[in-house]
Amino acid sequence: MKSEGSKLQEELFYTQKHASELLSEQQVKDADQFCEGYRAFLDSAKTEREAVCTVLNQIEKLGYQPFDPKKSYVPGDRVYLNNRDKAIILAVIGSRPIEQGVRIAAAHIDSPRLDLKPNPLYEDNQIALFKTHYYGGIKKYQWPAMPLSLHGVIIKGDGQKVQVNIGEDDNDPVFCVTDLLPHLAGDQMKRTLNEGVKGEELNIVIGSRPFLDDEASEKVKLNIMNILHEKYGIVEKDFLSAELEAVPAYKARDIGFDRSMIGSYGQDDRVCAYTALKATLDCKPVPEATVVTILTDKEETGSDGNTGLHSAYLKYFIADLAATFGQQGRTVLSHSTCLSADVNAAFDPTFPEVNEKRNAAYINKGVVVTKYTGSRGKSGTSDASAEFMAEVRRVLDKNHVVWQTGELGKVDQGGGGTVAQYIANLNVDVIDVGVPVLSMHSPFEIVSKLDTYMAYQAFLCFFND
Ligand code: MN
Ligand code: MN
């Protein structure tokens, strides 16, 4: 028999349980199954370009057509817009008039990494190396002494595009940033963690054998350039018109004796990109509201640039889509709602001091709904309204999605933002919904499989509601 007090407590208090206590055995199995597909996605989509390519391969089989502003569309039509092979918008036309608004989910497919500099190749003491410029927020000391693969494109002088993906196949070579041996690191160890490895020390070793010739200089560099010329038909100047990105070469893995988590590079934000994508593919054949899913680039550098969400490409797409129904883009946007699908920091028992435990997100407590992000006095956030938060809460609870709330760290500890503010600035109701992550922005981020599956369910019921 429960006491009156504990009955009253159950009725009045808000507590968040472990997702496995709230889900059925079958749902836990479904979550594990769902994450098999997710792991494969992580391995095939390590950069924004590869993510777009992987998505295109999936959706073209499913009847998605390139969006054409001159065509007219009917409920159930599925279209996409490829923005420069680095961002993509998918839409499923709903039965409700478009001027009543669309349902948007926006995730990003870029992740922190090491980009090659425009002039990367050099030889020093008979070792060939690449100079890099890091992309996004990284802790630089985390990047030396691990296998790296190289991904991207090189556009040659004649305009021909060369795709590069080397270091992922077990038979491929990999690359590596070196670190100093502890025996000689006395001075380095006195540096702050921030300066432990400096930006200009993130040089990638790529070769060490010389081209056999008596006359030529820089023979190791020459030998590498000769290999690259034979493999890709490129000359050194072609690096000037290239985008080459070094990322961890290892694959996504299950973590834990219970296999309850996934460890991988690039889960911020491919965990939300994948779950939003799957929810789009799996939503009702004819949803009520038109579904618009955006997988964007450049979030990690502040969303600027024509493939980032600070640009007008979403606004233009909505305007063009609205026009096919004889409507104005601004009318559609003003009645639209959006889940900004991005990860949040999970409470880490090893570093509890950065969070306020009553308002932190925890792994396995479900998808995180974050009313506001930003830093200091809520600077740089769109801060969703209580009304919209209530609407999202209603949809999630009605569909038995396990969810929690969470702030990004305690007040004045730091903070960060997402694309929410840029979409909200278009007069859309936006809230952040995503998966809690351990070791976020590290080369090996950790998420829970149950949370990942709950994110998928959250996007699915938002689209189908
Ligand atoms: Mn993110
Ligand atoms: Mn991030």
Side-chain angles (χ1 to χ4, degrees), residues 107-108 110-112 267-270 272 299-300 341-344 417-419 440-441 445:
H108 67 93
D110 62 321
S111 294
Q267 301 203 73
D268 172 9
D269 182 33
R270 290 184 198 111
C272 295
E299 195 279 338
E300 295 296 357
D342 206 345
V343 298
N344 202 328
T418 65
V419 300
M440 195 204 285
H441 277 217
E445 303 174 307

mmCIF file of all heavy atoms in Angstrom, residues 107-108 110-112 267-270 272 299-300 341-344 417-419 440-441 445, ligand 1:
data_model
loop_
_atom_site.group_PDB
_atom_site.id
_atom_site.type_symbol
_atom_site.label_atom_id
_atom_site.label_comp_id
_atom_site.label_asym_id
_atom_site.label_seq_id
_atom_site.Cartn_x
_atom_site.Cartn_y
_atom_site.Cartn_z
ATOM 1 N N ALA A 107 18.204 19.947 -39.189
ATOM 2 C CA ALA A 107 19.404 19.392 -38.552
ATOM 3 C C ALA A 107 20.609 19.795 -39.379
ATOM 4 O O ALA A 107 20.460 20.200 -40.532
ATOM 5 C CB ALA A 107 19.300 17.877 -38.466
ATOM 6 N N HIS A 108 21.814 19.681 -38.803
ATOM 7 C CA HIS A 108 22.996 20.011 -39.613
ATOM 8 C C HIS A 108 23.861 18.781 -39.861
ATOM 9 O O HIS A 108 23.880 17.842 -39.054
ATOM 10 C CB HIS A 108 23.790 21.172 -39.013
ATOM 11 C CG HIS A 108 24.459 20.914 -37.703
ATOM 12 N ND1 HIS A 108 25.757 20.472 -37.617
ATOM 13 C CD2 HIS A 108 24.023 21.050 -36.424
ATOM 14 C CE1 HIS A 108 26.093 20.357 -36.334
ATOM 15 N NE2 HIS A 108 25.060 20.703 -35.590
ATOM 16 N N ASP A 110 27.233 19.091 -41.029
ATOM 17 C CA ASP A 110 28.671 19.375 -40.913
ATOM 18 C C ASP A 110 29.095 19.085 -39.468
ATOM 19 O O ASP A 110 28.281 19.172 -38.552
ATOM 20 C CB ASP A 110 28.976 20.837 -41.275
ATOM 21 C CG ASP A 110 28.283 21.831 -40.341
ATOM 22 O OD1 ASP A 110 27.121 21.597 -39.962
ATOM 23 O OD2 ASP A 110 28.916 22.849 -39.972
ATOM 24 N N SER A 111 30.336 18.708 -39.283
ATOM 25 C CA SER A 111 30.870 18.430 -37.942
ATOM 26 C C SER A 111 32.282 18.992 -37.843
ATOM 27 O O SER A 111 32.956 19.170 -38.855
ATOM 28 C CB SER A 111 30.911 16.918 -37.694
ATOM 29 O OG SER A 111 29.609 16.385 -37.657
ATOM 30 N N PRO A 112 32.739 19.246 -36.603
ATOM 31 C CA PRO A 112 34.102 19.760 -36.426
ATOM 32 C C PRO A 112 35.132 18.795 -37.028
ATOM 33 O O PRO A 112 34.959 17.583 -36.983
ATOM 34 C CB PRO A 112 34.252 19.821 -34.899
ATOM 35 C CG PRO A 112 32.859 19.941 -34.390
ATOM 36 C CD PRO A 112 32.024 19.124 -35.321
ATOM 37 N N GLN A 267 28.547 12.665 -34.538
ATOM 38 C CA GLN A 267 27.135 12.449 -34.155
ATOM 39 C C GLN A 267 26.407 13.777 -33.943
ATOM 40 O O GLN A 267 25.188 13.833 -34.041
ATOM 41 C CB GLN A 267 27.056 11.568 -32.925
ATOM 42 C CG GLN A 267 27.714 10.208 -33.170
ATOM 43 C CD GLN A 267 27.192 9.133 -32.241
ATOM 44 O OE1 GLN A 267 26.078 8.663 -32.382
ATOM 45 N NE2 GLN A 267 28.006 8.740 -31.284
ATOM 46 N N ASP A 268 27.150 14.831 -33.607
ATOM 47 C CA ASP A 268 26.619 16.207 -33.646
ATOM 48 C C ASP A 268 26.844 16.681 -35.081
ATOM 49 O O ASP A 268 27.964 17.041 -35.419
ATOM 50 C CB ASP A 268 27.355 17.086 -32.636
ATOM 51 C CG ASP A 268 26.989 18.563 -32.774
ATOM 52 O OD1 ASP A 268 26.055 18.880 -33.518
ATOM 53 O OD2 ASP A 268 27.666 19.396 -32.148
ATOM 54 N N ASP A 269 25.883 16.645 -35.949
ATOM 55 C CA ASP A 269 24.502 16.496 -35.590
ATOM 56 C C ASP A 269 23.868 15.424 -36.473
ATOM 57 O O ASP A 269 22.687 15.458 -36.757
ATOM 58 C CB ASP A 269 23.817 17.868 -35.767
ATOM 59 C CG ASP A 269 22.357 17.866 -35.363
ATOM 60 O OD1 ASP A 269 22.007 17.136 -34.437
ATOM 61 O OD2 ASP A 269 21.575 18.577 -36.010
ATOM 62 N N ARG A 270 24.699 14.447 -36.880
ATOM 63 C CA ARG A 270 24.136 13.445 -37.787
ATOM 64 C C ARG A 270 23.139 12.546 -37.078
ATOM 65 O O ARG A 270 22.328 11.884 -37.716
ATOM 66 C CB ARG A 270 25.250 12.662 -38.470
ATOM 67 C CG ARG A 270 25.971 13.572 -39.448
ATOM 68 C CD ARG A 270 27.041 12.956 -40.286
ATOM 69 N NE ARG A 270 27.837 14.072 -40.797
ATOM 70 C CZ ARG A 270 29.077 14.323 -40.426
ATOM 71 N NH1 ARG A 270 29.702 13.520 -39.597
ATOM 72 N NH2 ARG A 270 29.706 15.380 -40.905
ATOM 73 N N CYS A 272 20.712 13.705 -35.302
ATOM 74 C CA CYS A 272 19.415 14.351 -35.574
ATOM 75 C C CYS A 272 19.127 14.359 -37.071
ATOM 76 O O CYS A 272 17.973 14.281 -37.480
ATOM 77 C CB CYS A 272 19.396 15.764 -35.008
ATOM 78 S SG CYS A 272 19.521 15.788 -33.212
ATOM 79 N N GLU A 299 26.718 24.871 -39.764
ATOM 80 C CA GLU A 299 26.245 25.217 -38.415
ATOM 81 C C GLU A 299 27.424 25.393 -37.472
ATOM 82 O O GLU A 299 27.418 26.262 -36.610
ATOM 83 C CB GLU A 299 25.292 24.129 -37.905
ATOM 84 C CG GLU A 299 24.472 24.548 -36.680
ATOM 85 C CD GLU A 299 25.210 24.440 -35.352
ATOM 86 O OE1 GLU A 299 26.204 23.672 -35.264
ATOM 87 O OE2 GLU A 299 24.813 25.110 -34.385
ATOM 88 N N GLU A 300 28.434 24.553 -37.647
ATOM 89 C CA GLU A 300 29.555 24.569 -36.701
ATOM 90 C C GLU A 300 30.426 25.814 -36.819
ATOM 91 O O GLU A 300 31.279 26.064 -35.969
ATOM 92 C CB GLU A 300 30.405 23.300 -36.867
ATOM 93 C CG GLU A 300 29.684 22.010 -36.500
ATOM 94 C CD GLU A 300 29.280 21.912 -35.029
ATOM 95 O OE1 GLU A 300 29.594 22.821 -34.255
ATOM 96 O OE2 GLU A 300 28.635 20.914 -34.673
ATOM 97 N N ALA A 341 16.509 20.551 -34.909
ATOM 98 C CA ALA A 341 16.951 19.218 -34.486
ATOM 99 C C ALA A 341 18.452 19.218 -34.268
ATOM 100 O O ALA A 341 19.222 19.050 -35.206
ATOM 101 C CB ALA A 341 16.551 18.195 -35.551
ATOM 102 N N ASP A 342 18.859 19.445 -33.042
ATOM 103 C CA ASP A 342 20.293 19.472 -32.757
ATOM 104 C C ASP A 342 20.550 18.859 -31.384
ATOM 105 O O ASP A 342 19.667 18.830 -30.531
ATOM 106 C CB ASP A 342 20.824 20.916 -32.811
ATOM 107 C CG ASP A 342 22.308 20.965 -33.158
ATOM 108 O OD1 ASP A 342 22.982 19.920 -33.075
ATOM 109 O OD2 ASP A 342 22.792 22.061 -33.508
ATOM 110 N N VAL A 343 21.767 18.409 -31.205
ATOM 111 C CA VAL A 343 22.114 17.701 -29.971
ATOM 112 C C VAL A 343 22.249 18.674 -28.801
ATOM 113 O O VAL A 343 22.369 19.887 -28.981
ATOM 114 C CB VAL A 343 23.426 16.925 -30.147
ATOM 115 C CG1 VAL A 343 23.272 15.875 -31.235
ATOM 116 C CG2 VAL A 343 24.589 17.855 -30.465
ATOM 117 N N ASN A 344 22.234 18.103 -27.596
ATOM 118 C CA ASN A 344 22.478 18.881 -26.390
ATOM 119 C C ASN A 344 23.534 18.138 -25.575
ATOM 120 O O ASN A 344 23.784 16.958 -25.803
ATOM 121 C CB ASN A 344 21.173 19.034 -25.596
ATOM 122 C CG ASN A 344 21.222 20.232 -24.655
ATOM 123 O OD1 ASN A 344 22.272 20.602 -24.137
ATOM 124 N ND2 ASN A 344 20.073 20.849 -24.449
ATOM 125 N N GLY A 417 24.751 27.932 -29.319
ATOM 126 C CA GLY A 417 23.490 28.136 -30.035
ATOM 127 C C GLY A 417 23.285 27.084 -31.100
ATOM 128 O O GLY A 417 24.136 26.233 -31.318
ATOM 129 N N THR A 418 22.136 27.158 -31.739
ATOM 130 C CA THR A 418 21.806 26.239 -32.835
ATOM 131 C C THR A 418 21.228 27.077 -33.972
ATOM 132 O O THR A 418 21.260 28.312 -33.922
ATOM 133 C CB THR A 418 20.746 25.214 -32.381
ATOM 134 O OG1 THR A 418 19.526 25.929 -32.093
ATOM 135 C CG2 THR A 418 21.177 24.467 -31.136
ATOM 136 N N VAL A 419 20.656 26.387 -34.970
ATOM 137 C CA VAL A 419 20.044 27.132 -36.080
ATOM 138 C C VAL A 419 18.674 27.681 -35.699
ATOM 139 O O VAL A 419 18.068 28.409 -36.487
ATOM 140 C CB VAL A 419 19.908 26.254 -37.353
ATOM 141 C CG1 VAL A 419 21.274 25.767 -37.821
ATOM 142 C CG2 VAL A 419 18.965 25.074 -37.126
ATOM 143 N N MET A 440 30.704 15.672 -26.451
ATOM 144 C CA MET A 440 30.300 16.394 -27.664
ATOM 145 C C MET A 440 31.479 17.166 -28.266
ATOM 146 O O MET A 440 32.306 17.693 -27.532
ATOM 147 C CB MET A 440 29.168 17.373 -27.339
ATOM 148 C CG MET A 440 28.447 17.890 -28.574
ATOM 149 S SD MET A 440 27.650 19.464 -28.270
ATOM 150 C CE MET A 440 26.264 18.942 -27.303
ATOM 151 N N HIS A 441 31.533 17.183 -29.591
ATOM 152 C CA HIS A 441 32.587 17.854 -30.367
ATOM 153 C C HIS A 441 33.941 17.157 -30.255
ATOM 154 O O HIS A 441 34.939 17.694 -30.729
ATOM 155 C CB HIS A 441 32.730 19.331 -29.996
ATOM 156 C CG HIS A 441 31.738 20.203 -30.712
ATOM 157 N ND1 HIS A 441 32.047 21.473 -31.156
ATOM 158 C CD2 HIS A 441 30.467 19.980 -31.092
ATOM 159 C CE1 HIS A 441 30.982 21.996 -31.744
ATOM 160 N NE2 HIS A 441 30.014 21.106 -31.711
ATOM 161 N N GLU A 445 32.169 10.813 -30.159
ATOM 162 C CA GLU A 445 31.028 11.261 -29.356
ATOM 163 C C GLU A 445 30.132 10.067 -29.023
ATOM 164 O O GLU A 445 30.072 9.111 -29.791
ATOM 165 C CB GLU A 445 30.216 12.293 -30.142
ATOM 166 C CG GLU A 445 31.035 13.498 -30.588
ATOM 167 C CD GLU A 445 30.266 14.455 -31.488
ATOM 168 O OE1 GLU A 445 29.701 13.996 -32.494
ATOM 169 O OE2 GLU A 445 30.222 15.649 -31.188
HETATM 170 MN MN MN B 1 24.990 20.737 -33.409
#
